[in-house]
Amino acid sequence: MVLDYSKWDGVGEDGEEGEPQVTPQTAPFQELPAANVEGHAFLRKHFTPSSLGIDEHRTEELLRFLREQDAGDAQSNVTRCNAICAFLLHCPRVATKESLDILVRFTRRVTFGELPDAPPRTMPILLSGVNTLAACVEEGAVRLYSIISAPKDEESIRMRTRYERREYARHCIMSSLGWKATDPNPANEDESGDPGGGWCTLS
């Protein structure tokens, strides 16, 4: 698969530098995957300005990001790289450490049972969102996906493995708890075949 990233050259590592060539009034948006409808409905109910202490516009941007990056039943959202880059291009405030911290705090609440009625697909949606955003903030969205969408050397394979195993999310969540994020063997998977190695099933 040949990916053309030239139209996203205006996206900097912090999501704020450069000028887009085309600026639509609304960000691209995908239809909800059927398997994850309940999870997104739960997020819509509980991921609110009052519970997060943020404004309505940022809340809506983050909810839209969680839906845009959602791979549904697919193994990875790397195939959605163009849509993710496009979204971050037109919603640059999402690709920031501040937005990442907001997602991490909410994910911790769900992980440790503060919102016990969460449907089964809620945590995978959140972990994927944290992982995707953390990777984009750390690496730069365009650079990240230009490398991991078609890895060709040891370094790009390592980065792709780190992304697929949600190691970016693991590091952010554990660091926010003051825990040391150890790096397990990338070849290991848990019994369910989850490439996350089981680390994300704390609850």
Side-chain angles (χ1 to χ4, degrees):
M1 176 175 61
V2 178
L3 300 175
D4 180 10
Y5 295 93
S6 61
K7 59 183 176 180
W8 312 128
D9 288 342
V11 182
E13 290 192 2
D14 59 2
E16 297 178 350
E17 298 179 1
E19 293 295 330
Q21 296 179 9
V22 179
T23 307
Q25 294 182 352
T26 58
F29 190 62
Q30 69 160 341
E31 185 178 351
L32 285 174
N36 291 6
V37 169
E38 287 188 358
H40 286 289
F42 174 87
L43 293 173
R44 175 66 61 179
K45 178 180 179 181
H46 294 282
F47 195 91
T48 61
S50 59
S51 67
L52 300 169
I54 60 177
D55 61 79
E56 292 185 7
H57 183 61
R58 183 170 225 141
T59 303
E60 184 62 28
E61 284 183 331
L62 288 170
L63 285 170
R64 288 174 61 87
F65 170 74
L66 288 171
R67 296 169 74 173
E68 192 62 67
Q69 64 79 42
D70 189 352
D73 294 327
Q75 181 71 18
S76 170
N77 69 2
V78 171
T79 56
R80 293 198 52 76
C81 59
N82 284 335
I84 293 169
C85 286
F87 185 91
L88 296 178
L89 173 68
H90 300 299
C91 297
R93 192 166 59 156
V94 172
T96 61
K97 182 65 164 57
E98 183 179 358
S99 291
L100 176 59
D101 288 344
I102 292 167
L103 280 185
V104 168
R105 289 199 304 270
F106 186 83
T107 301
R108 284 170 50 183
R109 291 181 62 198
V110 178
T111 300
F112 293 107
E114 291 184 36
L115 301 171
D117 58 334
R121 292 299 300 166
T122 306
M123 277 306 296
I125 293 169
L126 286 170
L127 289 169
S128 176
V130 172
N131 188 69
T132 300
L133 190 55
C136 288
V137 169
E138 180 176 332
E139 309 288 356
V142 175
R143 175 179 179 272
L144 171 75
Y145 291 115
S146 66
I147 293 173
I148 70 173
S149 61
K152 298 179 180 178
D153 54 29
E154 183 176 345
E155 177 61 21
S156 61
I157 293 172
R158 183 199 65 80
M159 188 180 293
R160 174 68 178 255
T161 301
R162 184 183 176 195
Y163 184 90
E164 298 285 9
R165 288 176 54 83
R166 306 184 190 125
E167 294 294 337
Y168 291 96
R170 184 167 69 103
H171 176 79
C172 285
I173 294 171
M174 290 190 171
S175 294
S176 74
L177 294 166
W179 299 349
K180 182 177 180 181
T182 56
D183 188 13
N185 185 347
N188 292 334
E189 294 183 351
D190 67 4
E191 294 180 355
S192 68
D194 177 11
W199 75 265
C200 54
T201 57
L202 295 175
S203 61

